[in-house]
Amino acid sequence: MPFILLVEDETAIAETVLYALRAEGFEAVHCLTGGDALRRAREQAFDLAVLDVGLPDIGGFALCRELRRDADLPVIFLTAQGAEADRILGLEIGADDYVTKPFSPRELAVRVRVVLRRRGRVPAGTAEEGGFLHDADGRRVRYRGHALDLTRYEYGLLAALLARPGAVLSRAQLMDRVWGDALESGDRTVDTHIKTLRAKLREVAPDADPIHTHRGLGYSLDIE
């Protein structure tokens, strides 16, 4: 799972950004100063850094150079509104993107995802759609930043639906893909596991119901 370094000296801004990043399925840590960030980077490898240009100790541009001494780290800068010179300098030293304050934390999280994809930093076997992050190799799914505690069959159902978002899969198709030659069979088996899967998704997002029932046809998964 991509690991993001956020360096921002305003705690209120950092908290909203951390929430948005984690909602997108990223792991993220926050440092208040450039010095703290350099110490953390010596202990942990990061996939991308989000750096405020106006840090109280080491400036964001100098910090970027230090972080990139030993690794080709993608960087997104946070700059003050109207600071055109900062944006130009950031791009000249190789910034992957920049975001001007005030900004939408959700937009920043999306920009992080775009840069990671462009730089090939999304792990193999991992696919993300809307609020879902599916690690097929690890047979794990995160929903809106939360790891789902799924049984074998719940995972199988969700993986089958994620493989074809928006498509209606019949109960027979789901039985074949998830249960295979298992002794359990019948529409009620699928319906029962769909019900428990829905309950676990609602624990994360009570206002959402991405699994749709199509009477007489089957089930589909809507990707936000």
Side-chain angles (χ1 to χ4, degrees):
M1 183 171 300
F3 201 18
I4 311 303
L5 172 64
L6 170 65
V7 190
E8 167 59 63
D9 62 327
E10 295 186 48
T11 303
I13 292 177
E15 288 176 351
T16 62
V17 171
L18 287 173
Y19 180 85
L21 289 172
R22 289 165 182 163
E24 286 294 314
F26 302 123
E27 296 290 342
V29 298
H30 170 226
C31 294
L32 286 167
T33 67
D36 288 342
L38 289 174
R39 285 188 289 273
R40 190 62 184 263
R42 286 193 288 268
E43 302 168 356
Q44 169 72 51
F46 292 96
D47 295 288
L48 182 144
V50 178
L51 309 178
D52 183 13
V53 170
L55 295 171
D57 56 348
I58 305 171
F61 299 134
L63 176 58
C64 175
R65 295 187 185 96
E66 290 297 320
L67 289 171
R68 282 179 164 175
R69 284 186 184 276
D70 300 315
D72 180 23
L73 183 68
V75 170
I76 296 177
F77 284 117
L78 305 179
T79 66
Q81 187 173 23
E84 182 180 1
D86 283 346
R87 294 197 297 274
I88 293 173
L89 180 56
L91 293 172
E92 286 179 345
I93 68 171
D96 293 87
D97 201 354
Y98 67 86
V99 177
T100 302
K101 295 181 179 180
F103 58 86
S104 160
R106 164 69 174 159
E107 179 187 350
L108 174 58
V110 171
R111 286 175 179 262
V112 166
R113 187 173 64 208
V114 169
V115 170
L116 287 171
R117 282 178 173 166
R118 187 168 66 230
R119 295 287 296 269
R121 298 300 180 97
V122 176
T126 300
E128 51 182 316
E129 294 283 352
F132 291 94
L133 185 71
H134 182 201
D135 177 3
D137 293 337
R139 296 179 65 84
R140 296 183 296 254
V141 180
R142 293 177 70 90
Y143 180 49
R144 297 193 178 185
H146 297 268
L148 297 174
D149 182 15
L150 303 176
T151 67
R152 170 189 171 186
Y153 294 127
E154 289 167 352
Y155 167 77
L157 283 172
L158 185 53
L161 292 168
L162 281 168
R164 296 191 61 194
V168 179
L169 299 181
S170 69
R171 290 173 176 83
Q173 287 175 310
L174 291 170
M175 284 295 303
D176 181 63
R177 296 179 189 192
V178 179
W179 278 265
D181 296 329
L183 294 177
E184 293 181 274
S185 61
D187 290 352
R188 290 185 63 83
T189 298
V190 175
D191 294 344
T192 298
H193 285 82
I194 287 287
K195 181 178 180 180
T196 59
L197 177 57
R198 272 181 166 146
K200 291 181 179 182
L201 295 176
R202 287 197 184 103
E203 287 178 4
V204 175
D207 60 327
D209 187 13
I211 298 177
H212 289 258
T213 301
H214 301 265
R215 292 185 179 274
L217 297 174
Y219 296 97
S220 68
L221 182 73
D222 280 358
I223 297 299
E224 299 172 359

